[in-house]
Amino acid sequence: MTHPRTSPATPGADTAANPLTDHAANPLTDHAADTLTDHATGTGPRPAADPSEPAPGTTPPGTTPPGTTPPGTTTLAAATPAELRDHVTAGLDDPARGWLRRALDEAAAHPGTHGPISVWELRIAEAGRRCGPEHADAARVLILHEARADAEALSRVYYQGTGAERRAVLYALPHLVPGPEGLPLVEDALRTNDTRLLTAAVGPYAARHLDAHQWRHAVLKCLFTGVPVDAVADLDHRAEGDTELARMLTDYAAERTAAGRTVPADLHRVLTLTDPPATPSAPAADHG
């Protein structure tokens, strides 16, 4: 059985236009243009984007534009599979609900990786068309859970997948990988400027496993790209008393001010968390 999608796609194919997608112009990323090979095996093109996903430069009706936190991301990363399934099935029509039930049954019956591609990987590829963009992320997370995908299988789906499939893998990591084996996927996502991928990357798994240096840079990346810091899991706890993070934030604020640019209000919020008594209040409003 072969994968039905054959033409390559970029990981940001499902994300609206972002002026920061030029990697060379972004001083906070050293990630060159994505290759078209599976990084896990060194072979094979990534498949084309799901046609239900928004085309580059567009934001479909009812979805969240870049720079904001998509609704339900906390549920995707933190809810139990049973809670997530109840939530998703309640929002699907009868055909989509039936498709998801069959997809989950197939994944449970044929877990792990089998041959060139597993049946549940095909269902992940179909999720956008079958469930719609509003519920596709959650459907993919559920399929990955039922397939009991380990770090190796998740890496395969991530590196061969579209941006939407990569997001689902990142949301599934806290459910499926107890140790740090999934960190390369988080690190790869943090090197992009795809705001929806970044939002997924800074969830509970990153909070649990990123070291202090990586985590600080993840926070800065959110500020740089406009991802709300509300997306950063365990922010209050990890930022508390972090003097190095405070220094980095202060330097970044000074650079923006010197360039005549506004300082994001989220920066002041995080700076306050690092040392509440010593940090000045944030401006009343900031639209930069």
Side-chain angles (χ1 to χ4, degrees):
M1 182 180 295
T2 59
H3 203 297
R5 299 167 302 164
T6 56
S7 59
T10 61
D14 65 327
T15 305
N18 183 344
L20 294 175
T21 52
D22 179 0
H23 293 259
N26 183 352
L28 291 182
T29 177
D30 59 357
H31 189 50
D34 283 329
T35 64
L36 298 181
T37 59
D38 173 4
H39 293 234
T41 64
T43 61
R46 292 200 307 271
D50 188 323
S52 71
E53 293 290 332
T58 64
T59 300
T63 61
T64 306
T68 58
T69 304
T73 54
T74 300
T75 299
L76 286 171
T80 67
E83 292 169 338
L84 189 56
R85 185 168 182 169
D86 289 345
H87 174 76
V88 173
T89 54
L92 297 176
D93 59 20
D94 287 341
R97 195 177 298 118
W99 177 87
L100 180 60
R101 182 179 63 253
R102 292 190 296 275
L104 296 178
D105 288 345
E106 285 178 332
H110 304 283
T113 302
H114 304 278
I117 192 162
S118 300
V119 64
W120 55 266
E121 293 180 68
L122 298 177
R123 303 302 168 245
I124 285 175
E126 296 174 10
R129 296 192 301 275
R130 300 289 191 168
C131 299
E134 182 180 357
H135 302 293
D137 281 357
R140 291 181 176 113
V141 171
L142 286 170
I143 292 169
L144 288 168
H145 189 275
E146 287 298 318
R148 301 193 287 279
D150 58 14
E152 181 179 354
L154 291 170
S155 295
R156 168 175 163 158
V157 173
Y158 180 91
Y159 286 120
Q160 293 187 345
T162 65
E165 291 162 24
R166 291 181 174 204
R167 266 199 323 272
V169 168
L170 294 169
Y171 285 132
L173 282 174
H175 300 272
L176 296 170
V177 184
E181 296 85 0
L183 270 179
L185 308 184
V186 173
E187 292 164 355
D188 181 85
L190 290 173
R191 289 193 291 266
T192 75
N193 289 312
D194 181 332
T195 55
R196 298 177 75 188
L197 204 60
L198 289 170
T199 297
V202 293
Y205 190 83
R208 191 184 308 156
H209 295 292
L210 282 180
D211 64 29
H213 176 77
Q214 292 173 310
W215 185 82
R216 292 177 189 125
H217 280 277
V219 173
L220 277 179
K221 188 64 175 278
C222 287
L223 294 170
F224 186 86
T225 57
V227 172
V229 295
D230 283 339
V232 181
D234 205 20
L235 175 67
D236 292 8
H237 173 73
R238 291 208 60 168
E240 183 179 2
D242 191 334
T243 57
E244 177 60 16
L245 177 60
R247 182 196 65 76
M248 294 168 69
L249 293 170
T250 302
D251 288 349
Y252 180 51
E255 290 171 5
R256 289 187 66 89
T257 300
R261 306 180 68 184
T262 56
V263 177
D266 269 358
L267 185 147
H268 293 280
R269 176 185 165 191
V270 180
L271 192 57
T272 299
L273 293 173
T274 65
D275 187 13
T279 305
S281 301
D286 188 342
H287 303 288

